[in-house]
Amino acid sequence: GESVGLHLPTLSVQEGDNSIINCAYSNSASDYFIWYKQESGKGPQFIIDIRSNMDKRQGQRVTVLLNKTVKHLSLQIAATQPGDSAVYFCAEIKDDMRFGAGTRLTVKP
Amino acid sequence: EPEVTQTPSHQVTQMGQEVILRCVPISNHLYFYWYRQILGQKVEFLVSFYNNEISEKSEIFDDQFSVERPDGSNFTLKIRSTKLEDSAMYFCASTEDSSYGYTFGSGTRLTVV
């Protein structure tokens, strides 16, 4: 499944499928980007980051892609699990960190 | 693993009252932040604090708000004359290096009635 974070704030996928969450950031001078996961009632939790001199970074089951030309960031989650259900925020850092609007990911068993 | 600790977890206050939200950042961190999240909305930056002074603040952070590091461990957010629209989750965050990701606390839910 795929979402445009700011225009489609919810994404529902089947367990085991891959998820793609998108984010458009605002400041072309931002040099560091982070994806956070926020579960209900908790604070944002760091997932993965990427610097502006990279266009792809992989973690465990997650990949972040950065397209500076169109100021677009995406988070790919492989083999999505029920525990991945949460709201996902992208954040950009220049002088301080600013969050995007978030996408709610729901994983159906 | 080191944590950012926030107290209380839930604060209910009457409109017009003053509240102080408390945070204990991670001990070797130098940069401190407050963010706000109104229910169902995105996390909004309020203020950053470094070297005992505010380094940046958003348009939300007006004269109603103030921050303080009263001792070597606590970092507080004071909200004067609270309004209904101040009801939100308030998150404290800290980092050792401002060019890296921040560690967030679990938040204080402020309810103004």
Side-chain angles (χ1 to χ4, degrees):
Chain A
E2 184 168 335
S3 83
V4 176
L6 294 177
H7 303 292
L8 189 67
T10 61
L11 175 65
S12 184
V13 301
Q14 206 69 38
E15 182 178 358
D17 286 352
N18 296 332
S19 303
I20 300 175
I21 300 171
N22 296 303
C23 175
Y25 64 92
S26 58
N27 187 353
S28 57
S30 293
D31 48 19
Y32 181 49
F33 304 89
I34 304 172
W35 279 101
Y36 280 91
K37 172 185 180 182
Q38 186 179 26
E39 296 173 291
S40 181
K42 297 184 179 178
Q45 182 183 13
F46 175 94
I47 301 173
I48 191 168
D49 59 0
I50 189 167
R51 299 223 169 258
S52 59
N53 61 350
M54 304 169 68
D55 52 25
K56 180 179 179 179
R57 188 152 190 245
Q58 286 186 293
Q60 190 177 18
R61 278 202 310 119
V62 294
T63 301
V64 55
L65 300 177
L66 174 63
N67 185 332
K68 294 182 288 294
T69 303
V70 294
K71 294 192 289 186
H72 183 269
L73 200 64
S74 70
L75 176 70
Q76 300 177 0
I77 306 174
T80 316
Q81 302 167 1
D84 296 327
S85 294
V87 177
Y88 290 81
F89 293 96
C90 69
E92 57 183 310
I93 294 180
K94 180 54 182 170
D95 298 314
D96 54 64
M97 185 165 68
R98 306 288 172 131
F99 284 87
T103 297
R104 179 175 298 281
L105 175 66
T106 302
V107 182
K108 295 177 289 188
Chain B
E1 189 170 325
E3 290 184 339
V4 174
T5 305
Q6 289 186 244
T7 55
S9 56
H10 192 186
Q11 171 94 45
V12 181
T13 190
Q14 290 212 320
M15 195 167 53
Q17 296 297 303
E18 174 182 287
V19 294
I20 297 176
L21 309 183
R22 303 182 190 278
C23 171
V24 179
I26 293 172
S27 61
N28 64 331
H29 286 186
L30 302 175
Y31 299 82
F32 314 114
Y33 307 86
W34 282 102
Y35 284 79
R36 177 182 83 174
Q37 186 178 31
I38 295 170
L39 185 64
Q41 299 187 23
K42 71 177 183 180
V43 181
E44 301 172 291
F45 170 77
L46 291 178
V47 65
S48 58
F49 191 88
Y50 171 73
N51 201 26
N52 285 321
E53 60 182 25
I54 291 173
S55 45
E56 184 137 1
K57 58 183 180 179
S58 72
E59 57 279 0
I60 302 169
F61 194 89
D62 59 20
D63 292 343
Q64 187 191 3
F65 296 88
S66 62
V67 290
E68 196 176 32
R69 188 155 162 81
D71 52 45
S73 59
N74 290 284
F75 179 52
T76 62
L77 174 69
K78 182 187 290 184
I79 309 174
R80 287 178 283 273
S81 190
T82 48
K83 302 175 287 205
L84 295 176
E85 53 265 38
D86 294 326
S87 296
M89 284 288 289
Y90 288 82
F91 292 105
C92 174
S94 70
T95 185
E96 187 176 2
D97 183 332
S98 63
S99 61
Y100 287 86
Y102 308 168
T103 302
F104 283 81
S106 297
T108 293
R109 179 173 297 284
L110 176 65
T111 304
V112 182
V113 296

